[in-house]
């Protein structure tokens, strides 16, 4: 962006960086610095400008402060301190509408504001309604100190933004470390952690906890016949169908090669059996096409619940569900079996 308005020193307007983060007009930190400037110099207003962005609302029913702000934004940025003792006598500013008319500005001074790369991004400006024949070295230093406060605030925001971005990236990396890279479900470590957390929570709340161990039937034959890329594609589609059968508070994870673990907090064995049966039906309902071949996919599943095994640990629940899964396999596959004390 380039500010092409009145230039107090007669120099050409300075081109600004394309990306200038403009603080809002109601920015609390910037308002605090402005109040300090107004009190320190005993002026009508202290304005902080960034680029040529005029804060919202200045054009609509402007107040005196709005007019002062618009005046400061109309002046091209300078990379040096600017002091105009009597604006009326200035060759270019004297004809400005805020000088010849309300609010009749008579004094203007500004100091440049730079970003961390030392690029000019704005300034701190002072305006008043009476000329100031004297603006001492101490005043110039105080204005420079005020600009330094603005630069420090911009630097802090840049650091905070970088930290937030880093935290976001780290969070994404942590999440990726918990996700199976092929099928997009929780990996074994993550689903086991979820199971442990949910077991503790359900125990405290007096709720049942159920889990399902599901296995894709004849998966080795698919890999051996059509190759591992085809087998991977099948696993992705199976995982998607299984995921569609559970609620947001339930979790699906890849427990082994073609084996899945589904954690159902708050579900009884009756509910878990219904979910497992829904999963079995979803897989069997639609054949998968690999090249010219059509595969009728099926799963076998075992269910175990704390309402059937009240003192079981999470490892014991998985063992019970595994045993029920083997029973489903032995019964001909494409079946769901529930682990019960009587079935042991």
């Amino acid at each position: 962006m380039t500010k092409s308005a009145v230039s107090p020193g007669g120099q050409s307007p300075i081109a600004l960086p394309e990306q200038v983060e403009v603080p809002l007009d109601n920015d609390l930190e910037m308002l605090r610095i402005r109040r300090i400037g107004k009190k320190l110099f005993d002026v009508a207003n202290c304005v902080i400008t960034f680029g040529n962005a005029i804060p919202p609302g200045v054009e609509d029913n402007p107040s005196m402060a709005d007019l002062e702000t618009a005046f400061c934004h109309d002046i091209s940025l300078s990379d040096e301190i600017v002091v105009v003792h009597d604006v009326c006598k200035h060759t270019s500013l004297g004809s400005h509408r805020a000088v010849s008319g309300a609010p009749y500005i008579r004094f203007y001074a500004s100091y440049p504001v730079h970003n961390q790369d030392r690029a000019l991004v704005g300034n701190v400006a002072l305006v008043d309604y009476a000329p100031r024949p004297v603006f001492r070295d101490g005043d110039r230093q105080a204005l420079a100190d005020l600009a330094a406060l603005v630069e420090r605030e911009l630097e802090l925001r840049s650091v905070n933004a970088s930290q937030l971005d880093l935290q976001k990236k780290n969070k994404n990396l942590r999440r990726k470390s918990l996700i199976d890279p092929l099928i997009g479900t929780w990996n074994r470590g993550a689903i086991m952690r979820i199971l442990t957390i949910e077991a503790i929570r359900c125990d405290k709340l007096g709720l049942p906890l159920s889990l399902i161990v599901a296995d894709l039937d004849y998966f080795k034959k698919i890999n051996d016949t059509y190759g591992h890329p085809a087998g991977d594609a099948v696993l992705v589609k199976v995982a998607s169908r299984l995921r569609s059968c559970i609620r947001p508070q339930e979790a699906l994870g890849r427990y082994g090669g073609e084996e899945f673990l589904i954690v159902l907090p708050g579900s009884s064995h009756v509910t878990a059996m219904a979910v497992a049966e829904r999963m079995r039906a979803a897989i069997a309902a639609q054949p998968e096409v690999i090249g010219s071949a059509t595969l009728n996919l099926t799963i076998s599943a075992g269910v175990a619940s704390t309402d059937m095994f009240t003192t079981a640990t999470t490892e014991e629940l998985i063992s019970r569900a595994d045993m029920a899964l083997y029973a489903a396999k032995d019964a001909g596959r494409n079946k769901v079996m529930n682990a019960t004390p009587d079935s042991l």
Side-chain angles (χ1 to χ4, degrees):
M1 65 180 73
T2 301
K3 225 175 178 181
S4 55
V6 182
S7 178
Q11 71 272 33
S12 300
I14 295 177
L16 298 178
E18 286 298 323
Q19 298 297 327
V20 177
E21 194 68 29
V22 181
L24 299 175
D25 194 41
N26 61 354
D27 186 299
L28 294 179
E29 292 304 321
M30 295 301 168
L31 286 175
R32 184 175 291 115
I33 295 173
R34 291 177 59 191
R35 286 196 299 269
I36 292 172
K38 186 176 177 180
K39 181 76 173 178
L40 179 64
F41 292 97
D42 191 24
V43 291
N45 206 345
C46 174
V47 179
I48 300 173
T49 69
F50 291 92
N52 62 355
I54 300 178
V58 171
E59 300 294 341
D60 304 323
N61 301 316
S63 64
M64 293 289 281
D66 290 335
L67 293 172
E68 294 157 1
T69 299
F71 171 77
C72 293
H73 278 276
D74 279 345
I75 299 175
S76 299
L77 294 181
S78 172
D79 211 7
E80 299 177 353
I81 185 172
V82 173
V83 180
V84 183
H85 301 280
D86 189 344
V87 179
C88 281
K89 297 178 180 179
H90 194 274
T91 54
S92 57
L93 295 183
S95 59
H96 192 282
R97 59 185 180 279
V99 177
S100 59
Y104 300 102
I105 293 172
R106 293 294 179 265
F107 170 75
Y108 172 83
S110 68
Y111 199 92
V113 170
H114 300 88
N115 63 14
Q116 288 178 287
D117 298 324
R118 302 310 302 163
L120 179 65
V121 295
N123 66 22
V124 178
L126 306 174
V127 293
D128 205 5
Y129 300 138
R132 290 205 175 189
V134 178
F135 199 74
R136 298 180 174 86
D137 290 342
D139 297 324
R140 292 170 180 263
Q141 184 58 56
L143 186 56
D145 292 341
L146 206 62
L149 289 178
V150 177
E151 292 177 349
R152 177 61 175 166
E153 179 62 26
L154 294 181
E155 182 180 357
L156 287 174
R157 294 181 189 198
S158 176
V159 170
N160 289 338
S162 297
Q163 289 177 339
L164 289 174
D165 183 58
L166 182 60
Q167 290 173 2
K168 183 178 179 181
K169 289 179 179 177
N170 286 339
K171 184 177 180 180
N172 289 338
L173 286 174
R174 286 195 298 271
R175 181 175 176 82
K176 286 182 179 179
S177 71
L178 300 174
I179 298 296
D180 185 275
L182 173 63
I183 61 178
T185 66
W186 298 115
N187 59 27
R188 183 186 178 98
I191 195 65
M192 291 300 293
R193 182 179 177 187
I194 291 170
L195 174 58
T196 300
I197 293 171
E198 291 296 353
I200 294 171
R201 188 177 70 86
C202 288
D203 183 60
K204 287 182 178 179
L205 297 176
L207 297 173
L209 172 71
S210 295
L211 57 85
I212 302 168
V213 177
D215 186 83
L216 181 59
D217 296 327
Y218 303 112
F219 182 66
K220 184 177 184 301
K221 184 178 179 180
I222 296 175
N223 275 337
D224 292 344
T225 305
Y226 303 101
H228 287 280
D232 289 346
V234 167
L235 278 179
V236 171
K237 293 181 179 179
V238 167
S240 177
R241 293 191 203 176
L242 294 179
R243 190 183 293 109
S244 70
C245 296
I246 61 176
R247 299 172 296 178
Q249 65 268 33
E250 297 163 345
L252 168 69
R254 189 179 185 184
Y255 190 61
E258 69 274 20
E259 198 171 45
F260 297 88
L261 177 62
I262 300 95
V263 180
L264 309 173
S267 294
S268 67
H269 73 280
V270 175
T271 301
M273 282 293 290
V275 173
E277 179 58 33
R278 185 161 65 244
M279 288 179 166
R280 186 205 62 78
I283 299 302
Q286 183 177 346
E288 288 298 332
V289 177
I290 299 179
S292 58
T294 300
L295 303 181
N296 294 310
L297 303 177
T298 62
I299 62 169
S300 299
V303 175
S305 307
T306 57
D307 59 352
M308 300 293 289
F309 300 93
T310 55
T311 62
T313 64
T314 54
E315 291 80 7
E316 290 170 342
L317 275 182
I318 293 175
S319 178
R320 304 301 185 193
D322 268 333
M323 293 174 64
L325 169 62
Y326 296 144
K329 294 278 190 182
D330 292 340
R333 293 180 170 81
N334 192 24
K335 295 184 183 300
V336 174
M337 301 290 283
N338 184 35
T340 64
D342 296 337
S343 64
L344 300 180

